[in-house]
Amino acid sequence: MSAPTAGGRKVALITLGCARNEVDSEELAGRLAAGGWELTETDDADVVMVNTCGFVEQAKKDSVDTLLAASDTGAKVVAVGCLAERYGNQLAESLPEADAVLGFDDYDDIASTLQSILAGAPHVPHVPRDRRELLPITPVDRPAVVDSSVGIPGHAGGPTVLRKRLERGPAAPLKLASGCDRRCTFCAIPSFRGSFVSRRPADVLTEARWLAQDGVRELVLVSENSTSYGKDLGDPRLLETLVRDLATVPGIVRVRISYLQPAETRPSLIETIATTPGVAPYFDLSFQHSSEPVLRRMRRFGSTARFVELLTAARALVPDAGARSNFIVGFPGETEEDVAELERFLTEARLDAVGVFAYSDEDGTEAASFDGKLPADEVARRYERVWQLAEELTAQRAEERIGSTVDVLVESVDGDVAEGRAAHQAPEVDGSTTVYGRGLRVGDLVRATVTDSEGVDLIATVTEVIDAAPGGAT
């Protein structure tokens, strides 16, 4: 390992967690580069910055372990991101190996803040607070506050895009909004991400064009709840307009929407996603469960019948539409009948990808105080049961696609074999498609016939190149 340079300004960025964190890291990278910092690898860094995740217990542990590992490099160690925002001075006190714990309000001046930390100046970590209290309750009053005093990742604004890409693939996340106005009893995210704040459409489009000029071919729209986009700007159907506009950006061949709230997924939005050229007919729906009693305790809405009806409406427009979701098992008060109802839904839903989480108490959530808690071994048993069923069902769903035609965005090429993703496969969270064909390049959008499947992954043979990557993406 090479020692950090004396008086140097080299920083390594490590990103943990979801695609929203990836965008935040690229905003931080943009600010740091603009402030004279050089981005480098951890073994050559003067400062190692870890963008932490605070979503569930395992994510918290991974974040702490990464910070501890970074402290062995000899560089200054700085924690940012959700875990840092959520726990602030508490994290700093329990983790003296970190030289600083920064909150979202520190992002605007991150370059000079790191310089101060590198010079040895002590940093006073923030005291955690519920970020929902930092913005007015009335959405129409929020823009003035957002522009003046509240640090919100992904809302840099201004005439230029303050973001530096850290990954060079043909797909990139594009943030629609930050925060969430829903009050699910199991979720702590609104308390440290704050209330829902949409980015202005012009800013999103400007960033989309910048990404396209940088070789991006697919935009993956991310937020805590994409179906809320535009409500605080006075237009609850703004997402439909924005998606159509994004699909016309030169160089972009596919737009994908993530994190849809089923209760807010309107028929017009379903139609927009399913029928707009250039938009992936892909429905990432946050169901969480399907038993009505459990959903009510989660402070969510829906049922097996309503969720199946939603999926049916999408498939009536596009029979091969992709669908994925996440589910929590072992929620307080969940009965064997509730689990059986969830299993019934999974069997009927024919989802392409399923995430299953075992319930655990989260600090500051309403559910943490609920009675009816299940023993840990029972939660683990139910998790294993539902997870195994989901694995079987998603493999069957992939097998059903054999003989069908899929449009695949090529992400890597090795001779006549390429790896990519079909319209029903989002980056990292879903499966992938291996395609066979000559002369393929990264960034090509190809049409292929599915010949086999392995779990959720597909194997296909290219029949034509629909849209070749300009000059070959890198």
Side-chain angles (χ1 to χ4, degrees), residues 31 76 84 88 93-94 136 200 268 289 335 343 374-375 393-394 408 419 432 450 473:
R31 292 180 181 278
K76 296 284 187 179
E93 291 170 4
S94 63
R200 293 180 178 86
S268 58
H289 214 284
T335 65
E343 291 173 324
L374 298 171
L393 292 172
T394 51
V408 178
E419 195 78 15
S432 64
V450 180

Side-chain angles (χ1 to χ4, degrees), residues 426-438:
E428 299 185 19
V429 296
D430 299 335
S432 64
T433 299
T434 300
V435 291
Y436 292 84
R438 294 183 177 179

Side-chain angles (χ1 to χ4, degrees), residues 390-473:
E391 289 283 291
E392 294 171 6
L393 292 172
T394 51
Q396 290 174 16
R397 177 61 175 151
E399 190 174 353
E400 290 174 8
R401 292 186 181 273
I402 295 175
S404 69
T405 298
V406 293
D407 293 346
V408 178
L409 180 66
V410 175
E411 295 186 325
S412 64
V413 178
D414 184 6
D416 293 340
V417 183
E419 195 78 15
R421 290 174 297 100
H424 68 281
Q425 297 169 323
E428 299 185 19
V429 296
D430 299 335
S432 64
T433 299
T434 300
V435 291
Y436 292 84
R438 294 183 177 179
L440 299 179
R441 300 180 303 177
V442 172
D444 284 347
L445 183 66
V446 303
R447 187 153 290 157
T449 300
V450 180
T451 59
D452 203 355
S453 66
E454 295 179 357
V456 297
D457 300 326
L458 302 181
I459 299 170
T461 301
V462 174
T463 57
E464 65 174 309
V465 176
I466 303 171
D467 195 313

Side-chain angles (χ1 to χ4, degrees), residues 16-17 52-66 83 86-87 357-362 383:
L16 305 175
T52 61
C53 178
F55 178 47
V56 293
E57 200 59 39
Q58 185 58 50
K60 298 176 194 175
K61 182 179 183 302
D62 291 343
S63 294
V64 170
D65 289 346
T66 303
L83 190 72
R86 185 176 182 182
Y87 293 104
F357 295 88
Y359 173 81
S360 61
D361 288 339
E362 276 294 306
Y383 164 80

Side-chain angles (χ1 to χ4, degrees), residues 70-156:
S71 69
D72 293 334
T73 64
K76 296 284 187 179
V77 177
V78 176
V80 296
C82 292
L83 190 72
E85 173 64 38
R86 185 176 182 182
Y87 293 104
N89 62 339
Q90 301 170 28
L91 179 63
E93 291 170 4
S94 63
L95 195 70
E97 292 85 354
D99 294 278
V101 174
L102 307 182
F104 295 153
D105 290 341
D106 293 307
Y107 283 19
D108 283 355
D109 200 27
I110 191 67
S112 61
T113 298
L114 282 203
Q115 184 62 44
S116 175
I117 293 167
L118 185 60
H123 178 81
V124 179
H126 65 280
V127 177
R129 51 183 173 171
D130 190 333
R131 286 183 66 85
R132 290 170 293 190
E133 298 174 359
L134 302 182
L135 293 175
I137 298 300
T138 306
V140 294
D141 292 333
R142 290 179 189 165
V145 178
V146 172
D147 289 344
S148 63
S149 62
V150 181
I152 302 177
H155 288 68

Side-chain angles (χ1 to χ4, degrees), residues 145-430:
V145 178
V146 172
D147 289 344
S148 63
S149 62
V150 181
I152 302 177
H155 288 68
T160 59
V161 177
L162 197 64
R163 177 176 173 183
K164 182 178 178 64
R165 292 193 70 203
L166 300 174
E167 301 292 337
R168 305 304 307 176
L174 177 58
K175 184 175 283 191
L176 290 173
S178 288
C180 185
D181 283 340
R182 302 190 70 87
R183 296 294 180 264
C184 301
T185 59
F186 58 83
C187 184
I189 290 175
S191 66
F192 56 86
R193 277 287 183 179
S195 299
F196 188 90
V197 181
S198 299
R199 295 182 67 196
R200 293 180 178 86
D203 293 340
V204 178
L205 282 164
T206 297
E207 189 166 324
R209 296 185 189 102
W210 174 80
L211 288 168
Q213 292 169 1
D214 198 48
V216 170
R217 305 278 278 161
E218 176 177 326
L219 302 172
V220 182
L221 308 184
V222 298
S223 71
E224 274 71 31
N225 176 11
S226 296
T227 42
S228 283
Y229 182 76
K231 286 183 176 180
D232 53 330
L233 300 178
D235 184 357
R237 296 182 62 171
L238 191 56
L239 179 60
E240 298 164 33
T241 303
L242 178 62
V243 167
R244 288 191 288 266
D245 290 341
L246 289 169
T248 67
V249 171
I252 298 300
V253 297
R254 191 154 68 195
V255 178
R256 183 186 305 276
I257 307 176
S258 299
Y259 309 112
L260 300 173
Q261 168 60 239
E264 298 178 3
T265 304
R266 303 170 300 280
S268 58
L269 178 58
I270 293 174
E271 183 176 1
T272 297
I273 295 172
T275 64
T276 302
V279 176
Y282 173 83
F283 294 86
D284 177 12
L285 293 153
S286 177
F287 291 129
Q288 301 300 345
H289 214 284
S290 72
S291 170
E292 288 189 75
V294 175
L295 287 167
R296 297 301 174 269
R297 285 193 291 276
M298 290 180 169
R299 199 173 290 123
R300 297 176 68 86
F301 304 95
S303 65
T304 293
R306 290 177 64 181
F307 292 162
V308 169
E309 181 182 342
L310 194 161
L311 292 167
T312 300
R315 289 166 177 157
L317 296 169
V318 182
D320 289 337
R324 82 171 322 274
S325 192
N326 295 317
F327 300 89
I328 298 172
V329 294
F331 193 77
E334 181 189 66
T335 65
E336 280 290 339
E337 290 75 15
D338 294 325
V339 179
E341 182 67 6
L342 175 56
E343 291 173 324
R344 184 171 78 86
F345 169 68
L346 289 171
T347 302
E348 291 187 32
R350 296 168 55 241
L351 299 172
D352 293 283
V354 173
V356 182
F357 295 88
Y359 173 81
S360 61
D361 288 339
E362 276 294 306
D363 296 340
T365 62
E366 190 176 344
S369 64
F370 284 179
D371 56 14
K373 299 283 180 61
L374 298 171
D377 59 348
E378 177 62 18
V379 173
R381 186 187 69 80
R382 294 184 184 186
Y383 164 80
E384 187 69 23
R385 168 181 158 186
V386 173
W387 176 80
Q388 287 192 1
L389 175 63
E391 289 283 291
E392 294 171 6
L393 292 172
T394 51
Q396 290 174 16
R397 177 61 175 151
E399 190 174 353
E400 290 174 8
R401 292 186 181 273
I402 295 175
S404 69
T405 298
V406 293
D407 293 346
V408 178
L409 180 66
V410 175
E411 295 186 325
S412 64
V413 178
D414 184 6
D416 293 340
V417 183
E419 195 78 15
R421 290 174 297 100
H424 68 281
Q425 297 169 323
E428 299 185 19
V429 296
D430 299 335

